[in-house]
Amino acid sequence: MGRVVGLMLAAGRSRRLGRPKQSLPFGDRTLLEATVTGARQAPLDDLVVVLGPEMEPMARRLAAMGVRSVETPPTAPACSLSIRTGLAAFPGAGPEAVVLLLGDQPGVGAPEIRAVVESWRASGKPLVVGRYRGEWAHPFLLSGPYMQGLQSLEGEKGVWRILEANADQVEPVAFDRPVPRDVDLWEDYLALLAEFGLPQPGL
């Protein structure tokens, strides 16, 4: 099978958190850098991070890591807009499959991405998702006709609509643990630090 690329969504404005979660301290780096580091160790042919407007400092940090990033237009940062922006960054005919990742979910790294990619290659199913104790969650792999569907997504939860409408085409990859935590609220951030054994801010 052909090229498999990773598309990491990190354009959110963190309104509920009250500050950009991409740049939250996470050990000796930022939350986004920690998440990117895990993805870079996975069997992906390319990786692009989608950032929001006015995130040039983070773009420079990613460039120093050797990671490409693109910026969404200065409009509402809908998830679907981020996906379309990221897909446009892949040249030529584009990849055969894309793995969608979240920029605030360091608990999804190389082992999870590798398992999803290997399941896709073995099963031939066009949709492959992580399944954590019965719950679907990232990473999501989309291929075949569903790659075209990503180009025309609108609004929020567009990928979920694709998966739910085509559940018979989904190959789940089981992980015997809870869904990896992402960060929407300050409490989520503190809990994530605790999970990774990292100090809390100011401590």
Side-chain angles (χ1 to χ4, degrees), residues 25-157:
F26 202 77
D28 59 355
R29 50 196 164 178
T30 65
L31 177 60
L32 179 56
E33 287 171 305
T35 307
V36 166
T37 296
R40 291 187 72 198
Q41 297 167 355
L44 297 171
D45 295 302
D46 199 357
L47 175 66
V48 167
V49 179
V50 183
L51 299 174
E54 302 177 357
M55 294 186 67
E56 182 59 31
M58 182 57 69
R60 290 196 297 269
R61 294 181 74 120
L62 293 176
M65 298 172 64
V67 176
R68 290 198 297 143
S69 65
V70 293
E71 183 179 297
T72 58
T75 57
C79 180
S80 297
L81 173 60
S82 291
I83 291 172
R84 297 199 309 271
T85 300
L87 288 175
F90 297 107
E96 186 170 340
V98 60
V99 178
L100 296 178
L101 304 161
L102 300 180
D104 60 344
Q105 202 171 37
V108 174
E112 292 77 21
I113 299 169
R114 181 179 297 107
V116 165
V117 172
E118 289 177 352
S119 178
W120 172 68
R121 296 192 186 283
S123 70
K125 283 289 190 77
L127 302 170
V128 185
V129 306
R131 187 175 176 87
Y132 299 83
R133 296 180 181 172
E135 295 186 62
W136 286 0
H138 292 82
F140 295 159
L141 183 149
L142 294 91
S143 66
Y146 303 105
M147 286 287 294
Q148 193 67 28
L150 289 177
Q151 302 280 4
S152 57
L153 285 181
E154 296 290 343
E156 300 292 344
K157 300 293 184 181

Side-chain angles (χ1 to χ4, degrees), residues 3 11-12 20 41 47 84 91 114 120 124 130 161 171 183 185 195:
R3 295 175 65 237
Q41 297 167 355
L47 175 66
R84 297 199 309 271
R114 181 179 297 107
W120 172 68
R161 291 196 295 271
E171 179 73 11
V183 176
L185 303 172
E195 286 180 12

Side-chain angles (χ1 to χ4, degrees), residues 17 21 45 60 98 172 179 192 200:
L17 187 67
K21 57 186 172 183
D45 295 302
R60 290 196 297 269
V98 60
V179 173
L192 188 63
Q200 296 186 1

